[in-house]
Amino acid sequence: MSKGLLIVGEDICAEVVSSADAFTAVEAVFGAMAKGDAYNFPVIREAIGYADALYGFKSGFDKAGKTLGVKSGGYWPGNMDKGLTNHQSTIFLFDPDTGMLEALVGGNYLTAVRTAASSSVSIAHLARKDAKVLGMVGAGHQSTFQLRAAAEQRDFEKVVAWNPHPDMLPRLGAVAEELGLAFEAVTQEELGAQADVIITITSAFEPLLMKDWIKPGTHIACMGTDTKGKQEVDPELLVSATVFADEIAQSVTIGEAQHAVASGRLSDAEITPIGAVINGTHAGRSSDQQITLFDGTGVGLQDLAVASVAAREAESRGKATRIAL
Ligand code: NAD
């Protein structure tokens, strides 16, 4: 007999899933992916020819966590004018034993928090322990989540930031101030010269950071490139850095590595799944001088992992709604 369908709205997700919860869930699923216990299904993403929207599905199955489902949604560029975020998504969780729909979970907050958890996991495992300056490239919706999650991983003292639209930077500055971190708007070159850890989270289609601007020992999390054609950093940076990814198949096709791979300067074999570092089968950073680069393309299993936490926590705290389907 079915227990019915659990509904967990956006506000409840924000209440019951913390950045630390997302970190734990995302770290575990990256580890499961590297062991072959969890896999993502092929992604569908289509320009629907209406409202300039991109719509699609990201799905997968985590046998270890018993999580099966799909995130459906996409990007509606006109939403900002309507007071809505441009990214819209909903997560559907199914019972892997019966195929029945178990939960319907708002996906907007969870997308931001699971994306921030991804770079945050990479910082935890790959950045130098003595990192003091965090460089932020990008100042849109995701950037404040990224900054908050990164700040939990190292004793940062300062944030240096650059954005192609400088008028967006004060919002990021306000979050830095709230976190007790000094904040400075800088040029791209200055950002590279100062930062020990860099997060890129823009919608760029050309390199914003060049290889020669990055100092030895830096960890870079490239988070904005999630589609063919997008690009945030110089491909030479990927050729010279030690490259890690959430999922290699996505990294080389729609992630930041796509450009270095397409020009034959980088191969799949030179990219390590971050899960291997999490599982201890790869040592991760090998010296204080090494530049490490994480290509965080965003996989469906991250969404399912945090949605599963949201469903479990909302139910146990009596905050979810149940209906018969
Ligand atoms: P947003 O629209 O709120 O902000 C866009 C950011 O990109 C701003 O910093 C803006 O100044 C900059 N930008 C816009 N057009 C640009 C251009 N042509 N060149 C360079 N920079 C440009 O978007 P957001 O929600 O903050 O998302 C930022 C990026 O992250 C998007 O590309 C989105 O697809 C990607 N994203 C990735 C994941 C993942 O898992 N990897 C998850 C969510 C979003």
Side-chain angles (χ1 to χ4, degrees):
M1 181 74 175
S2 162
K3 287 185 292 178
L5 170 65
L6 201 66
I7 298 180
V8 189
E10 285 289 341
D11 291 352
I12 304 297
C13 287
E15 217 180 300
V16 302
V17 182
S18 68
S19 151
D21 295 331
F23 182 100
T24 306
V26 167
E27 186 184 48
V29 86
F30 284 166
M33 281 163 57
K35 280 188 198 147
D37 288 339
Y39 71 107
N40 294 286
F41 305 159
V43 174
I44 304 282
R45 197 162 160 92
E46 293 287 324
I48 60 172
Y50 182 77
D52 285 333
L54 289 173
Y55 173 72
F57 312 100
K58 280 188 169 184
S59 55
F61 179 43
D62 176 1
K63 209 190 286 183
K66 278 201 151 194
T67 312
L68 174 70
V70 57
K71 176 168 91 166
S72 174
Y75 187 74
W76 272 258
N79 274 6
M80 200 76 93
D81 298 339
K82 300 173 186 158
L84 301 168
T85 54
N86 290 348
H87 292 273
Q88 290 295 328
S89 60
T90 309
I91 302 161
F92 300 74
L93 295 177
F94 296 87
D95 179 346
D97 290 311
T98 63
M100 292 190 75
L101 182 61
E102 275 192 321
L104 201 53
V105 185
N108 295 348
Y109 165 78
L110 291 181
T111 296
V113 88
R114 68 74 149 148
T115 305
S118 175
S119 60
S120 180
V121 165
S122 85
I123 293 168
H125 288 278
L126 296 171
R128 287 189 346 257
K129 296 275 183 282
D130 63 350
K132 293 287 176 229
V133 179
L134 173 63
M136 293 293 307
V137 176
H141 179 69
Q142 306 294 330
S143 67
T144 56
F145 291 89
Q146 293 284 328
L147 171 51
R148 285 181 196 282
E152 290 172 6
Q153 299 310 323
R154 291 291 182 269
D155 290 327
F156 291 115
E157 293 170 353
K158 181 180 179 185
V159 177
V160 288
W162 178 85
N163 193 52
H165 308 101
D167 53 306
M168 295 170 82
L169 284 171
R171 205 168 58 116
L172 202 54
V175 174
E177 191 182 349
E178 186 195 313
L179 296 170
L181 300 171
F183 183 83
E184 191 185 352
V186 293
T187 63
Q188 290 141 284
E189 290 94 323
E190 187 57 30
L191 189 144
Q194 287 200 42
D196 302 311
V197 172
I198 299 174
I199 297 174
T200 61
I201 184 75
T202 69
S203 310
F205 282 82
E206 56 195 30
L208 304 173
L209 289 177
M210 303 313 288
K211 170 183 163 277
D212 293 344
W213 301 343
I214 307 302
K215 63 180 186 180
T218 302
H219 172 65
I220 309 168
C222 295
M223 304 305 297
T225 299
D226 56 0
T227 307
K228 201 167 172 53
K230 279 189 182 173
Q231 183 173 21
E232 295 189 293
V233 304
D234 182 358
E236 289 305 314
L237 194 46
L238 284 102
V239 175
S240 60
T242 305
V243 182
F244 300 84
D246 46 10
E247 189 190 78
I248 294 171
Q250 280 203 173
S251 168
V252 301
T253 50
I254 59 168
E256 195 60 40
Q258 63 180 288
H259 308 285
V261 169
S263 64
R265 306 287 316 278
L266 184 73
S267 72
D268 297 30
E270 290 168 295
I271 306 174
T272 303
I274 187 83
V277 183
I278 293 165
N279 295 339
T281 56
H282 186 285
R285 167 175 292 281
S286 61
S287 85
D288 280 354
Q289 295 299 301
Q290 186 182 34
I291 294 177
T292 51
L293 186 147
F294 174 65
D295 191 2
T297 61
V299 295
L301 282 170
Q302 283 170 256
D303 298 297
L304 305 186
V306 288
S308 167
V309 175
R312 191 184 64 226
E313 286 301 311
E315 180 157 49
S316 74
R317 298 186 205 180
K319 291 179 180 290
T321 307
R322 259 198 196 282
I323 61 160
L325 195 61

